[in-house]
Amino acid sequence: MVKVNENYLKLQGSYLFSTIAKKVNAYAASNPDKKIIRLGIGDVTLPLAPVVTDALQKAVEEMGDQKTFRGYAPDLGYDFLRNAIVTNDYRARGCEIEADEIFVSDGAKSDSGNIQEIFALDNRIAVCDPVYPVYVDTNVMAGRTGVFDAATGKWSDVIYMPCTAENGFVPELPASVPDLIYLCFPNNPTGSAITKDRLQEWVDYANQNGSVIIYDAAYEAYISEENVPHSIYECEGARTCAIELHSFSKNAGFTGVRLGYTVVPKDLIRGGVALNGLWARRHGTKYNGAPYIVQRAGEAVYSPEGKKQLADQVAYYMKNAAYIREGLSDAGYTVYGGVNAPYIWLKAPNGMSSWEFFDYLLEKANIVGTPGSGFGPSGETYFRLTAFGQYENTVEAIERIKKL
Ligand code: MLT
């Protein structure tokens, strides 16, 4: 008789954003006359930039022509894209990264979930609290989390690093040393950023203790302040302790196109084994490469025209972020984030729990956000709004909240 992977039974019934979608769809079905404004999941709303659609169309033409047709993509990524990434995302920032340290994929969500596979099960993980749920859920699926305590909302074998208003939503170095450390900056969900000096402390800590940092840089395009690093490799010594994840979803609107990449430096060695080789083996075995047409679209993101068009998109969303921040502050809310990130993290009013505020906003203002407790126990009483909506809807949402 086959046995199922019982680790899956330890997971919450459904993924956070699926739970929210179900609730909202049920509300919408019974209130068809209401205009619901969705500022929950961080999904983009602007159409693909012209430079991207042009590149897609050109690549489709190539695929439809016998002379230029291509079959399987190289499983680690086409050189044209890996080279464009190295030149623009790394060398331009003074970071030493080579093309064979870049692994192109279908997005940072898959990579952030899959990367734990190259580490032994008895490694101890540390995550920020609140945290993007994929990091913890995928470790639960693998069986790396111990026992769940419903009272605290915590797994016994996971080190939770509280991110609170008091520490500026940047965690302290844990006293008990983890093996794998997940960091995401600019942060999802709190919208906080980390300075280069603080990130350097993490790099030094990881190198001293033999830990590995999984650094999720999906939101780096939203950084507006000086001394906030766009890559962990801006820190000295990061090549020997850090893996970095990137997405094209948030900087180029590829949420429905799917493209991302992971950097595993060749200097990253643990137990005498180069992690670059392990990830290459895993990637090559389980993945047949991102589609050619999508990789060409990714390459276009780095063209001069692409950079300009996408900077305009980022500016559009950050205008939303500023509107949300200022509007909510004026209405008396305590708000964080929204300066280096497209997320605004606010305190639920009048002692409401995160889910109470979710229901309240949905029913009284027909606005969807994300309850902070869905990201971890320290997210309780907080609430996340995304700046990825359309500007007119964002303005209308904030006006509705102000009137409550
Ligand atoms: C979010 O809303 O947290 C993000 O859209 C999730 C993701 O990027 O997968």
Short mmCIF file of all heavy atoms in Angstrom, two decimals, residues 24-50:
data_model
loop_
_atom_site.label_atom_id
_atom_site.label_comp_id
_atom_site.label_asym_id
_atom_site.label_seq_id
_atom_site.Cartn_x
_atom_site.Cartn_y
_atom_site.Cartn_z
N VAL A 24 -12.83 35.92 -0.86
CA VAL A 24 -13.24 37.08 -1.65
C VAL A 24 -14.21 36.65 -2.75
O VAL A 24 -15.23 37.33 -2.99
CB VAL A 24 -12.01 37.80 -2.24
CG1 VAL A 24 -12.43 38.93 -3.16
CG2 VAL A 24 -11.14 38.33 -1.11
N ASN A 25 -13.94 35.53 -3.37
CA ASN A 25 -14.84 35.05 -4.43
C ASN A 25 -16.22 34.74 -3.87
O ASN A 25 -17.24 35.04 -4.51
CB ASN A 25 -14.25 33.82 -5.14
CG ASN A 25 -13.03 34.21 -5.95
OD1 ASN A 25 -12.82 35.38 -6.24
ND2 ASN A 25 -12.20 33.24 -6.29
N ALA A 26 -16.26 34.18 -2.67
CA ALA A 26 -17.56 33.88 -2.04
C ALA A 26 -18.30 35.18 -1.76
O ALA A 26 -19.51 35.31 -2.02
CB ALA A 26 -17.36 33.08 -0.76
N TYR A 27 -17.57 36.18 -1.25
CA TYR A 27 -18.19 37.48 -0.96
C TYR A 27 -18.71 38.12 -2.26
O TYR A 27 -19.83 38.63 -2.32
CB TYR A 27 -17.19 38.41 -0.27
CG TYR A 27 -17.78 39.75 0.07
CD1 TYR A 27 -18.56 39.92 1.21
CD2 TYR A 27 -17.58 40.84 -0.77
CE1 TYR A 27 -19.13 41.16 1.50
CE2 TYR A 27 -18.15 42.08 -0.49
CZ TYR A 27 -18.92 42.23 0.65
OH TYR A 27 -19.50 43.44 0.93
N ALA A 28 -17.87 38.05 -3.30
CA ALA A 28 -18.25 38.67 -4.58
C ALA A 28 -19.48 37.99 -5.17
O ALA A 28 -20.37 38.65 -5.71
CB ALA A 28 -17.09 38.59 -5.56
N ALA A 29 -19.56 36.67 -5.01
CA ALA A 29 -20.70 35.93 -5.58
C ALA A 29 -22.00 36.33 -4.89
O ALA A 29 -23.05 36.42 -5.55
CB ALA A 29 -20.46 34.43 -5.44
N SER A 30 -21.93 36.61 -3.58
CA SER A 30 -23.18 36.98 -2.91
C SER A 30 -23.42 38.49 -2.91
O SER A 30 -24.45 38.95 -2.43
CB SER A 30 -23.24 36.39 -1.49
OG SER A 30 -22.04 36.61 -0.85
N ASN A 31 -22.46 39.25 -3.42
CA ASN A 31 -22.65 40.71 -3.53
C ASN A 31 -22.26 41.19 -4.93
O ASN A 31 -21.31 41.97 -5.10
CB ASN A 31 -21.77 41.42 -2.49
CG ASN A 31 -22.17 41.11 -1.08
OD1 ASN A 31 -23.07 41.73 -0.53
ND2 ASN A 31 -21.50 40.11 -0.50
N PRO A 32 -23.01 40.72 -5.95
CA PRO A 32 -22.58 41.00 -7.33
C PRO A 32 -22.59 42.49 -7.69
O PRO A 32 -21.93 42.90 -8.64
CB PRO A 32 -23.59 40.22 -8.18
CG PRO A 32 -24.73 39.92 -7.28
CD PRO A 32 -24.24 39.94 -5.88
N ASP A 33 -23.32 43.31 -6.94
CA ASP A 33 -23.40 44.74 -7.26
C ASP A 33 -22.22 45.54 -6.73
O ASP A 33 -22.04 46.71 -7.07
CB ASP A 33 -24.71 45.31 -6.67
CG ASP A 33 -24.81 44.99 -5.18
OD1 ASP A 33 -24.46 43.85 -4.80
OD2 ASP A 33 -25.18 45.89 -4.40
N LYS A 34 -21.40 44.93 -5.90
CA LYS A 34 -20.31 45.67 -5.24
C LYS A 34 -19.06 45.69 -6.12
O LYS A 34 -18.68 44.68 -6.71
CB LYS A 34 -19.94 45.01 -3.91
CG LYS A 34 -21.09 44.89 -2.93
CD LYS A 34 -21.21 46.15 -2.12
CE LYS A 34 -21.93 45.96 -0.81
NZ LYS A 34 -23.33 46.01 -0.78
N LYS A 35 -18.39 46.84 -6.15
CA LYS A 35 -17.09 46.91 -6.87
C LYS A 35 -15.98 46.63 -5.85
O LYS A 35 -15.70 47.46 -4.97
CB LYS A 35 -16.90 48.30 -7.49
CG LYS A 35 -15.54 48.42 -8.16
CD LYS A 35 -15.25 49.82 -8.67
CE LYS A 35 -13.80 49.96 -9.09
NZ LYS A 35 -13.37 51.33 -9.29
N ILE A 36 -15.40 45.47 -5.98
CA ILE A 36 -14.36 45.07 -5.04
C ILE A 36 -13.00 45.52 -5.58
O ILE A 36 -12.68 45.28 -6.74
CB ILE A 36 -14.38 43.54 -4.82
CG1 ILE A 36 -15.72 43.15 -4.18
CG2 ILE A 36 -13.22 43.08 -3.97
CD1 ILE A 36 -15.94 41.67 -4.03
N ILE A 37 -12.22 46.17 -4.72
CA ILE A 37 -10.87 46.61 -5.13
C ILE A 37 -9.87 45.68 -4.46
O ILE A 37 -9.83 45.56 -3.24
CB ILE A 37 -10.63 48.07 -4.75
CG1 ILE A 37 -11.66 48.98 -5.46
CG2 ILE A 37 -9.21 48.49 -5.13
CD1 ILE A 37 -11.52 50.46 -5.16
N ARG A 38 -9.07 45.02 -5.29
CA ARG A 38 -8.16 43.98 -4.78
C ARG A 38 -6.76 44.52 -4.62
O ARG A 38 -6.06 44.76 -5.59
CB ARG A 38 -8.17 42.78 -5.74
CG ARG A 38 -9.52 42.08 -5.76
CD ARG A 38 -9.63 41.10 -6.91
NE ARG A 38 -11.02 40.75 -7.15
CZ ARG A 38 -11.59 39.60 -6.77
NH1 ARG A 38 -10.89 38.69 -6.15
NH2 ARG A 38 -12.86 39.37 -7.02
N LEU A 39 -6.37 44.71 -3.35
CA LEU A 39 -5.00 45.13 -3.03
C LEU A 39 -4.39 44.07 -2.11
O LEU A 39 -3.69 44.38 -1.14
CB LEU A 39 -5.01 46.50 -2.37
CG LEU A 39 -5.66 47.64 -3.19
CD1 LEU A 39 -5.61 48.97 -2.43
CD2 LEU A 39 -5.00 47.81 -4.55
N GLY A 40 -4.72 42.80 -2.41
CA GLY A 40 -4.25 41.69 -1.59
C GLY A 40 -2.96 41.12 -2.13
O GLY A 40 -1.86 41.60 -1.81
N ILE A 41 -3.07 40.12 -2.99
CA ILE A 41 -1.86 39.49 -3.53
C ILE A 41 -1.05 40.51 -4.34
O ILE A 41 -1.63 41.39 -4.99
CB ILE A 41 -2.22 38.25 -4.39
CG1 ILE A 41 -0.94 37.46 -4.73
CG2 ILE A 41 -2.98 38.62 -5.65
CD1 ILE A 41 -1.21 36.06 -5.23
N GLY A 42 0.26 40.38 -4.26
CA GLY A 42 1.13 41.34 -4.96
C GLY A 42 1.24 41.03 -6.43
O GLY A 42 2.33 40.71 -6.92
N ASP A 43 0.12 41.10 -7.13
CA ASP A 43 0.13 40.82 -8.56
C ASP A 43 0.04 42.13 -9.33
O ASP A 43 -0.79 42.99 -9.00
CB ASP A 43 -1.05 39.91 -8.93
CG ASP A 43 -0.88 39.28 -10.31
OD1 ASP A 43 0.16 39.53 -10.94
OD2 ASP A 43 -1.79 38.55 -10.73
N VAL A 44 0.85 42.24 -10.37
CA VAL A 44 0.91 43.49 -11.14
C VAL A 44 -0.37 43.68 -11.96
O VAL A 44 -1.09 42.72 -12.24
CB VAL A 44 2.12 43.48 -12.09
CG1 VAL A 44 3.41 43.50 -11.31
CG2 VAL A 44 2.07 42.27 -13.03
N THR A 45 -0.64 44.93 -12.33
CA THR A 45 -1.84 45.22 -13.11
C THR A 45 -1.54 45.95 -14.43
O THR A 45 -2.38 45.98 -15.31
CB THR A 45 -2.83 46.08 -12.30
OG1 THR A 45 -2.13 47.21 -11.77
CG2 THR A 45 -3.44 45.30 -11.15
N LEU A 46 -0.34 46.53 -14.55
CA LEU A 46 -0.01 47.20 -15.81
C LEU A 46 0.28 46.14 -16.87
O LEU A 46 0.84 45.08 -16.56
CB LEU A 46 1.24 48.07 -15.64
CG LEU A 46 1.07 49.35 -14.83
CD1 LEU A 46 2.42 50.05 -14.65
CD2 LEU A 46 0.07 50.29 -15.50
N PRO A 47 -0.07 46.42 -18.13
CA PRO A 47 0.25 45.45 -19.18
C PRO A 47 1.76 45.38 -19.40
O PRO A 47 2.49 46.28 -18.99
CB PRO A 47 -0.47 46.02 -20.41
CG PRO A 47 -0.63 47.47 -20.14
CD PRO A 47 -0.74 47.63 -18.64
N LEU A 48 2.19 44.34 -20.08
CA LEU A 48 3.62 44.20 -20.38
C LEU A 48 4.10 45.42 -21.16
O LEU A 48 3.36 45.95 -22.01
CB LEU A 48 3.85 42.94 -21.22
CG LEU A 48 3.60 41.61 -20.50
CD1 LEU A 48 3.67 40.45 -21.49
CD2 LEU A 48 4.59 41.40 -19.35
N ALA A 49 5.31 45.83 -20.91
CA ALA A 49 5.88 47.00 -21.60
C ALA A 49 6.06 46.67 -23.09
O ALA A 49 6.30 45.51 -23.44
CB ALA A 49 7.23 47.35 -20.98
N PRO A 50 5.97 47.69 -23.98
CA PRO A 50 6.11 47.43 -25.42
C PRO A 50 7.39 46.71 -25.78
O PRO A 50 7.40 45.83 -26.64
CB PRO A 50 6.08 48.85 -26.02
CG PRO A 50 5.38 49.69 -25.01
CD PRO A 50 5.63 49.08 -23.67
#
